[in-house]
Amino acid sequence: MAFAYTPGLRVAANTVVFKERRLPLAGKTLVEAGDPVIAETIVAKTELPGNVKMLNIANVMGLPPGDIPELLFVKEGEEIDENQPLGETKGFFGLFKNTVRSPIHGVFESYNKITGQAVLREPPIPVEIDAYLKGTVTEILENEGVIVESNATYVQGIFGIGGETRGELKVITDGPDEELAEELIDESCRGKVLLGGSFVSYKTLNKAIKTGVKAVIVGGFDDKDLKEFLGYDLGVAITGHEKKGITLILTEGFGRMTMAHGTFNLLRTREGMLASVNGATQIRAGVMRPEVVIPLEKAEIEKDSEKQAGAMDIGSPIRCIRAPYFGKLGTVEALPAELQVLDSEAKVRVLDVKFENGEIATVPRANVELIEE
Amino acid sequence: MATDCGSTTTKVILIEKKDGEYRLIRRGEAPTTGEAPAEDVTKGVLNAVGEIEDLEGRKFLKEGEDGVQVSPDSTDGVDIYMSTSSAGGGLQMTVAGVVKSMTGESAQRAALGAGAIVMDIVASNDGRLPHEKVADIRRLRPDMILLSGGIDGGTIDHVVELAEIVKAADPKPRFGVGYKLPVIFAGNKDARGAVSDELGEQVELKIVDNLRPVLERENLTPARDIIHELFMEHVMAQAPGYPRLMSWAGHYVDGSWKQVPIMPTPGAVGKLIEIVAKNEDIEVMGVDIGGATTDVFSVFKSGEETVFNRTVSANLGMSYSVSNVLASAGFDNVMRWVPFHMDEADLRNRIRNKMIRPTTIPQLLKELIVEQAIAREALRLALVQHKDLATGLKGVAQERTIGDAFDQTQTGATLVNMMTLSLLIGSGGVLSHAPRRSQAALMVIDAFLPEGVTMLAVDSIFMMPQLGVLSEVLPEAATEVFDKDCLIRLGTCVAPAGENKKVDVLAEVSITKQDGSTMSINIEKGKMHVEPMGVGEKVTALIKPAKNLDVGNGPGIEWQGDLEGGVVGIVFDGRGRRPFILPEDDSRRIEKLQEWSKALDIYPEGFINLEGGE
């Protein structure tokens, strides 16, 4: 076996990015195939059914549920206003009438003669989705959304917090091994996407939020800071919905970790350009990783070949992703076919890696990832 | 031939009848291809079967790779092909009942037993306001809803109210735009008309017998059967590639083609465990600890009946959910199993890094020990959840005599009894692939704390799902292969339970071997001992527990019977049950952990010298 397959994170200087922009429910698309869009362009909209209010009219009137329909002033499907009388008891010789009023503005959806319950629905909630990226609409998904295509620089992170946002990319540390320290953040960072180095602390992140930074891209973050930042211990890695006022993207993992040089250097060349970022991460079947997408202007586009994920061969650049060599970079030195016994006595497929300092070590193939350049 | 399409790997097994017995011949696997870019689960099946073709040097696929060749008369192909599936996250359901702890729980048991993940239990008394229930149903987007409630002749209003909530939510299925969501009504038969009026047009409504016709009895089978049927017809049929896979699975009966339905993976495992318990007339528990979830299956006796239960701990697992194990169990509970000191911040970062890169494996012994500590806690928590659900029926009037006056058992007590349990089967990567089998044995013992006399086993390559679906067609083949090729018997664990502070010897064991020789062993307080005894070897034993201690026949009462060996041997565990307490003092605890590890020979020599550093 001369090569192996291993998952790697995509880091591409110039690639074609397709983004599906889909509504949560069927709706209307507002653009046509071929239309140029910017990140803010609204491409589709719909209305989510309004929230439901249940009102037990029979209880309020103090009558059997079956007696209610003839006392109602409104029909099913009729629009209602807040405080509008929905029905009234006959009272005693026309006196002591008991009136039921609507608690909401919306629609009187239905009344159930068995339970005495009326379903009232608030007005629909409008939902719009934007293009997220500067690019071109290449496909219309009938009633559901569109696909936007863009020539862009594309970097996948390993873990993120917070949803979609965008801003101008600003490089804030001198190198990939420098911590994004609190004092580096100032008023010039407002509205920007910051590229840091190896680490960001909870304290620094808070300052970034206060300063109005849109997103932070760094190598690592501490798990205990994550707990403090979120206010709870994240159990399952499904993120993206947090409303923390900032999007955080980790490129390497938890702890203090030098950002891969390739990633840092590539992003550095894109300083000043508009970056669309998304921290949404789902680590389960159908993995979803956070991303940084920087659409390129026509002039900058010179197609370079992107190495496809997957094929690992002698000489392939790799990164170790588990102790004892976590974070170390090197190249594949050998890919022995036979299984080998590790310190832990597990018998697995391994490879020999030659680190940057010339040292050679044997590691399980499952514990490395390809670096795509 | 049978495949199991898991969420990450598709596993195939080939079984043949040779010299009158069914045996496992080959096993192959390939990545599951249910998602982009392939988006067709059959590709993974073809790859996995292709691996078996290469290994066996025979043809199993049809010309043009259009399915598995089922041809009983030819040397190529197989006689039967079948499959299970948990791809796409398995079957996700919301259940509803009137009272949460009564019909709500019965509905939950029905859904879990059918192999579903229960995302939510909606009940009239669950504390949420109606609009909150509506919002939750809508947000969770279940594949199917099971609506129950009311015993026959009981409440109608509350049941209709639940139907109203489902109607108002108007949930849309995850897969396939434009088909109606399947909703099963298995509640009060008098409410059927009203429920149909409410929901009939909006959803794909199926009505089956009440799953709780009277308070004293559950009738879960009709609901489970319809869940399987709808899973095939609706959920699977919408998933990429499944219609094709469904058409492949089947065999010829008297010359005509008969389809074999695709079962949800956990449903198939449950079937098999039920059969094993029935055939041997024993109580059985099985646990499958995966990357994301942990399933526990059990068959226990309740009076004259045997009751099957399954629970899924959706967020307890060794990779995707590993951080959640730490969050749920707490740092101290994980660390109590680790025989060296570690910094909390360091451990937390390590566990998070495993979560974000779930496919990595421990290279260092120290990391293996930490992973196995986490596994113990995941298993322990999964058992706690299982005990909570595997209960007798709640809300049942009990007849008590004066003799019961001091026996304050409540209705709804757990059926799980570790003392009467005969066979405990573990499976899933961390158990099946542990570098030493003794590690799997100790993990299971520490986590489940079996009492009395219990046989421990692991499913070597997790073929229980395939055998479960096989048991639908050829039960004798399924049990034969299960016994001979699937189960690896680790050995019997003997653990006295109960408290007696005065004695140092919890039980005396007199053993008579098959050759007539005898020996005696004392189970000493706080110690573990392993007597080597191979697979299939049996000895006769007389166990005399000390006063107040129980090994199966009651406190202080002798137990006589056979003890069977295994790849580990017979484990005599004197660490105590009810209570089982680890020393609080850190250095004493570490000393004891090291002592037990040595007794079972679970780690290589060097582990005692492991310190905080690498």
Side-chain angles (χ1 to χ4, degrees), chain B residues 70-97:
Chain B
V70 179
S71 47
D73 309 324
S74 155
T75 49
D76 285 342
V78 292
D79 298 313
I80 310 174
Y81 170 68
M82 58 200 96
S83 190
T84 59
S85 169
S86 59
L91 168 62
Q92 306 187 356
M93 289 182 69
T94 289
V95 302

Side-chain angles (χ1 to χ4, degrees), chain A residues 222-224, chain B residues 331 342-351:
Chain A
D222 257 341
D223 180 54
K224 67 171 177 36
Chain B
F331 177 75
M342 253 186 120
D343 170 49
E344 178 169 356
D346 178 38
L347 178 79
R348 294 188 70 101
N349 283 341
R350 277 173 197 254
I351 292 178

Side-chain angles (χ1 to χ4, degrees), chain A residues 52 54 112 115 121 222-223 233-236 252 254 283 286 289 321-322 343-345 362 367 369, chain B residues 35 130-131 138 157 160 164 168 198 320 324 348-349 352-353 356-357 360-363 367 371 436:
Chain A
V52 164
M54 300 283 210
N112 191 306
T115 60
R121 200 181 283 276
D222 257 341
D223 180 54
D233 209 349
L234 182 73
V236 183
E252 313 303 311
F254 287 88
I283 303 168
R289 297 286 187 187
I321 54 173
R322 183 138 188 186
D343 275 6
S344 61
E345 295 191 326
T362 301
N367 292 1
E369 67 189 12
Chain B
E35 292 175 29
H131 74 270
R138 203 182 277 166
D157 299 8
V160 176
E164 256 173 19
E198 199 67 42
Y320 303 115
N324 196 55
R348 294 188 70 101
N349 283 341
R352 278 272 179 246
N353 283 322
I356 57 178
R357 293 183 165 99
T360 61
I361 50 180
Q363 177 169 7
E367 294 228 313
E371 272 196 16
R436 296 187 185 193

Side-chain angles (χ1 to χ4, degrees), chain A residues 235-237 283, chain B residues 290-293 313-326 355 374:
Chain A
V236 183
I283 303 168
Chain B
T293 62
S313 300
N315 292 327
L316 295 175
M318 289 308 296
S319 59
Y320 303 115
S321 310
V322 70
S323 284
N324 196 55
V325 177
L326 183 67
M355 173 189 83
I374 297 169

Side-chain angles (χ1 to χ4, degrees), chain B residues 296-371:
Chain B
V296 180
F297 307 84
S298 73
V299 179
F300 279 98
K301 290 186 177 138
S302 168
E304 292 300 301
E305 278 180 273
T306 52
V307 183
F308 166 73
N309 269 293
R310 163 180 175 255
T311 49
V312 191
S313 300
N315 292 327
L316 295 175
M318 289 308 296
S319 59
Y320 303 115
S321 310
V322 70
S323 284
N324 196 55
V325 177
L326 183 67
S328 310
F331 177 75
D332 292 342
N333 271 330
V334 171
M335 285 310 290
R336 70 190 170 129
W337 301 112
V338 178
F340 44 81
H341 297 282
M342 253 186 120
D343 170 49
E344 178 169 356
D346 178 38
L347 178 79
R348 294 188 70 101
N349 283 341
R350 277 173 197 254
I351 292 178
R352 278 272 179 246
N353 283 322
K354 165 87 182 181
M355 173 189 83
I356 57 178
R357 293 183 165 99
T359 54
T360 61
I361 50 180
Q363 177 169 7
L364 299 174
L365 180 60
K366 178 183 165 179
E367 294 228 313
L368 178 80
I369 292 174
V370 171
E371 272 196 16

Side-chain angles (χ1 to χ4, degrees), chain B residues 106 110 186 209-214 217-224:
Chain B
S106 295
D209 288 349
N210 195 347
L211 53 79
R212 192 87 180 251
V214 287
R217 193 165 57 82
E218 274 180 348
N219 175 31
L220 305 180
T221 312
R224 278 183 188 158

